Amino acid sequence: MLVVGAGPAGSAAARVLAQAGRDVLLVDQAGFPRDKVCGDALIPDAHRVLERLGLLDRVLAEALRVPAVRMRGPRGGEVAVPGRLAVLPRRRLDALLAGAAVEAGARLATPWRFVGTLEHGSRVVGARLAARDGRPAAVEARWTLLATGARPQALRDAGLAAARGPSGVSMRAYLHHPEALARWPMPSMFWHGALRPGYGWVFPGPGGVFNLGVYVTGRDAAGGARGALPSLHRLFERFVALHPPVRALVDGGRWLGPFKGAPLRCSLRGAEAGRPGLWPIGEAAGSSYLLSGEGIGKALETGLLAAEALLADGAAALALPPPGGAAGAADAAAERRRAAAWAALAPHYRAYERGDLANRQPWLIDVLAWAVRRRPARLDTLAAILDERHVPQARPGPALLARLLLGRR
Ligand SMILES: Cc1cc2nc3c(=O)[nH]c(=O)nc-3n(C[C@H](O)[C@H](O)[C@H](O)COP(=O)(O)OP(=O)(O)OC[C@H]3O[C@@H](n4cnc5c(N)ncnc54)[C@H](O)[C@@H]3O)c2cc1C
């Protein structure tokens, strides 16, 4: 088995496959530890998968655990949604996850870049790789999992062409300000008309290091382009200017490096589902959530689910070259399991797509805060949504507003 990309998706898949006794090669174009542009927040879905991987305690031992996530609207309405939440810089999280794959028996090879597939007829039977100095290598594998993240080059090289641009773009930097931790006990997300279509954030992390950034979505739910994206640097300046507590945090702290930006791929859209012998997983498969841009949990989950789909009836164990009919049937069965697993995630993606309306109509956050103040039990519903125990059906528009005004759940 070949897993390309040792981010959360690839390392989760590699760990599960190796734990089941499969021969797994995990490759990445970067040497580890490496940075990954991210907000570093682990929401409940990430906690759940880390638990299934047997890694939650290890991650939480290093992370800053936080009790809730605070959402703030343009008129100052606030709601703090409780949940299993934590923040751990990706440089550390990803090194830990890749190490856990190796601990399970996977071989990690870096820096090797995926440049194309090996094919036997129409089936993918491995990959072509290139070292930093251009030295080529070919790796045969019964299955290749492409966990190369949001940048589309590897998808193109794999024939899983992602014609669309990213779903959104985002930018973050780290700020050292340990004295401010008491004032910022939880991750905070700020929506405002001047930050449309997106939001700004302040996430406290371990060691008094804050992760600050802005996110804008660039696509509507149907995949249509919304026009040119605003400059992220300009948005960040606006974000700081609009919020005096953020201004005070920035003025009192010390930047640890420059802002770095990256694209996001959301809603399980933008790539082909796969080819026989090759599946994209994680953000290569569009696994982030559109409303918030959060995607570590679903990257881990798609990695885990893809590995389980391959392990279910031994499809991952068949030898190369593929023995004709038997391989075809096993491939088709594995693909059915993967498709079913993705379909089970779809309601959560649709809910976060509907919630993306708040990125364009930020006053909805004020309405939400008002509705929770009016009936505090609604906070339980929000916590259940965050924890994925409840999937909201209503679009956050006039119909939902009417329901809130009428006082029903
Ligand atoms: C600014 C920003 C803030 C975010 N904030 C959050 C947040 O707070 N919480 C959250 O849950 N999510 C957040 N996300 C989303 C999150 O970062 C992604 O969902 C997550 O990293 C996806 O994991 P992955 O394993 O699919 O891909 P990645 O983490 O991107 O890993 C991909 C790996 O593949 C390797 N690779 C790429 N191409 C090749 C190639 N050709 N050959 C070999 N290796 C290759 C890369 O080096 C990398 O190691 C944020 C994203 C951005 C941009």
Side-chain angles (χ1 to χ4, degrees):
M1 308 295 294
L2 174 64
V3 182
V4 183
S11 291
R15 178 167 167 91
V16 173
L17 290 166
Q19 276 176 331
R22 300 294 175 263
D23 180 16
V24 181
L25 179 64
L26 174 61
V27 301
D28 201 292
Q29 65 185 9
F32 279 69
R34 59 106 179 88
D35 202 8
K36 159 71 178 90
V37 178
C38 187
D40 305 331
L42 298 166
I43 61 173
D45 64 347
H47 282 68
R48 214 166 18 248
V49 184
L50 287 169
E51 204 160 36
R52 284 179 65 185
L53 293 169
L55 299 174
L56 184 61
D57 290 345
R58 267 187 241 180
V59 170
L60 292 183
E62 298 191 33
L64 180 74
R65 298 170 79 159
V66 288
V69 56
R70 183 167 69 119
M71 302 163 75
R72 184 184 163 96
R75 302 188 73 129
E78 282 192 7
V79 54
V81 185
R84 292 207 290 172
L85 297 151
V87 179
L88 181 62
R90 291 291 298 276
R91 187 177 174 82
R92 187 55 210 134
L93 176 72
D94 289 20
L96 193 155
L97 295 173
V102 171
E103 174 194 84
R107 287 167 294 134
L108 176 65
T110 65
W112 284 96
R113 185 166 54 89
F114 168 91
V115 291
T117 51
L118 294 178
E119 301 187 8
H120 186 279
S122 61
R123 193 181 190 286
V124 174
V125 294
R128 290 182 291 112
L129 308 174
R132 271 223 182 110
D133 60 6
R135 204 164 14 108
V139 177
E140 289 197 333
R142 178 81 182 90
W143 276 89
T144 300
L145 296 176
L146 204 61
T148 45
R151 297 196 187 274
Q153 188 57 49
L155 285 171
R156 291 200 194 106
D157 293 338
L160 300 173
R164 291 164 25 112
S167 318
V169 290
S170 190
M171 172 185 97
R172 68 95 173 100
Y174 289 112
L175 181 90
H176 190 240
H177 195 341
E179 305 78 31
L181 271 179
R183 273 181 281 130
W184 294 88
M186 66 182 84
S188 299
M189 303 161 82
F190 299 79
W191 278 266
H192 195 282
L195 304 178
R196 278 189 297 188
Y199 68 89
W201 76 78
V202 174
F203 292 174
V209 175
F210 287 78
N211 183 317
L212 281 81
V214 284
Y215 165 64
V216 288
T217 64
R219 299 266 150 183
D220 61 30
R226 281 190 197 143
L229 295 173
S231 149
L232 291 174
H233 285 280
R234 202 168 315 134
L235 279 184
F236 189 80
E237 282 166 18
R238 274 187 219 160
F239 169 44
V240 175
L242 282 163
H243 299 95
V246 181
R247 165 97 279 156
L249 176 71
V250 166
D251 288 347
R254 180 171 54 89
W255 291 111
L256 295 179
F259 277 93
K260 290 185 181 170
L264 289 99
R265 305 173 69 81
C266 302
S267 303
L268 290 183
R269 296 182 203 263
E272 300 293 330
R275 302 166 58 190
L278 174 74
W279 287 335
I281 57 174
E283 236 185 342
S287 67
S288 289
Y289 278 147
L290 191 62
L291 162 63
S292 57
E294 280 147 344
I296 300 169
K298 284 291 169 284
L300 289 165
E301 195 165 349
T302 53
L304 174 91
L305 292 171
E308 287 180 347
L310 290 176
L311 291 167
D313 68 0
L318 291 177
L320 273 171
D331 286 350
E335 170 54 23
R336 278 195 298 278
R337 284 191 295 274
R338 186 210 58 77
W342 264 225
L345 299 177
H348 300 294
Y349 282 104
R350 300 296 89 84
Y352 274 81
E353 277 191 344
R354 288 192 294 270
D356 176 47
L357 189 59
N359 289 323
R360 280 166 287 146
Q361 308 289 350
W363 53 270
L364 286 166
I365 302 296
D366 285 313
V367 173
L368 188 72
W370 169 82
V372 169
R373 270 201 316 279
R374 189 157 178 253
R375 185 182 289 189
R378 287 197 175 106
L379 200 54
D380 297 338
T381 308
L382 289 179
I385 293 170
L386 180 64
D387 197 37
E388 304 193 348
R389 285 177 281 114
H390 174 69
V391 183
Q393 299 302 329
R395 196 178 164 80
L400 180 62
L401 207 57
R403 277 177 43 190
L404 292 172
L405 290 168
L406 293 171
R408 281 181 273 129
R409 172 170 155 154

